[in-house]
Amino acid sequence: REYLSSAGFREIVTNSMTLREDAGLTEQNPVIIANPLSNEMAALRSNLLPGVLSTVKHNLFNGMESSRFYEIGTTFARVPGADRETIDGYREEERLCVAIYGLESPVYWAEKPKKATVFTLKGEANALFRRFSLDNPRYIPYPTSTALSERPISVVLNGEKVGALGLVSTGLLKRFDIDAEVFFLDV
């Protein structure tokens, strides 16, 4: 948190209860709430990105054309074939989601403003990993698109896939009424 905040990212905290459609974006076995308070709180989140995109939408609608956000939170999923009545039938995972949209950095009089790109976020990810002595991250492009990104890139640390990085898919941006390129890192 200290590093990301010092690098110009704003921490956000979103609700872990979400729409059923959002919970099913990345998880085929989302945790559905038996007696939800509302449709907006019908499932537990399986990914942090929908909450981050809600914040991006809110900020764009209120005139903030560029920003950097991060959220550290828990995601939830059912374990296929496990007993649904016990805690053993569920999986919780601590995740980090980072998003950038708009300009790469604040406007400065001596430089022309540059739009953020996937390489901007990759540089930030490398700096974050170095902070934790994770020196050799590998970025491997997926051959096909996913629900989150049309050109996703796997993030591999010490031979293990730990997340994804990329441009948020056009369909997902339309669903959130966002008319800007948003780049995300989910680890």
Side-chain angles (χ1 to χ4, degrees), residues 49-118:
L49 188 58
V52 171
L53 290 176
S54 293
T55 303
V56 169
K57 174 186 174 179
H58 176 80
N59 281 278
L60 279 169
F61 280 18
N62 286 290
M64 187 177 255
E65 295 177 6
S66 298
S67 198
R68 301 165 153 233
F69 296 113
Y70 75 93
E71 180 173 16
I72 298 171
T74 305
T75 60
F76 307 87
R78 283 194 350 246
V79 177
D83 180 12
R84 291 180 58 175
E85 303 302 318
T86 66
I87 301 232
D88 292 334
Y90 298 91
R91 181 183 77 236
E92 292 184 28
E93 202 170 60
E94 197 74 17
R95 307 288 297 173
L96 164 67
C97 186
V98 177
I100 295 177
Y101 70 93
L103 298 177
E104 186 175 278
S105 58
V107 178
Y108 178 59
W109 67 271
E111 294 179 5
K112 286 187 179 183
K114 292 187 264 184
K115 286 185 71 174
T117 66
V118 72

Side-chain angles (χ1 to χ4, degrees), residues 3-175:
Y3 173 77
L4 288 167
S5 294
S6 69
F9 290 89
R10 292 186 170 103
E11 182 175 16
I12 61 171
V13 178
T14 62
N15 200 328
S16 56
M17 290 184 283
T18 187
L19 291 165
R20 193 179 288 229
E21 299 83 42
D22 290 348
L25 273 177
T26 59
E27 184 60 50
Q28 292 188 351
N29 296 303
V31 178
I32 305 301
I33 296 173
N35 190 13
L37 296 172
S38 69
N39 187 39
E40 289 81 26
M41 298 182 169
L44 293 177
R45 66 184 174 195
S46 62
N47 192 292
L48 299 177
L49 188 58
V52 171
L53 290 176
S54 293
T55 303
V56 169
K57 174 186 174 179
H58 176 80
N59 281 278
L60 279 169
F61 280 18
N62 286 290
M64 187 177 255
E65 295 177 6
S66 298
S67 198
R68 301 165 153 233
F69 296 113
Y70 75 93
E71 180 173 16
I72 298 171
T74 305
T75 60
F76 307 87
R78 283 194 350 246
V79 177
D83 180 12
R84 291 180 58 175
E85 303 302 318
T86 66
I87 301 232
D88 292 334
Y90 298 91
R91 181 183 77 236
E92 292 184 28
E93 202 170 60
E94 197 74 17
R95 307 288 297 173
L96 164 67
C97 186
V98 177
I100 295 177
Y101 70 93
L103 298 177
E104 186 175 278
S105 58
V107 178
Y108 178 59
W109 67 271
E111 294 179 5
K112 286 187 179 183
K114 292 187 264 184
K115 286 185 71 174
T117 66
V118 72
F119 298 108
T120 306
L121 192 52
K122 182 181 171 201
E124 295 292 350
N126 282 335
L128 177 67
F129 296 145
R130 268 195 311 273
R131 176 92 161 110
F132 295 104
S133 300
L134 300 168
D135 295 329
N136 295 316
R138 291 185 28 224
Y139 301 95
I140 303 168
Y142 284 34
T144 59
S145 63
T146 65
L148 301 179
S149 179
E150 290 160 3
R151 293 170 278 172
I153 300 168
S154 280
V155 179
V156 177
L157 290 168
N158 298 327
E160 181 180 340
K161 181 183 182 246
V162 296
L165 173 127
L167 173 65
V168 176
S169 72
T170 306
L172 195 53
L173 291 174
K174 281 183 184 176
R175 193 164 139 215

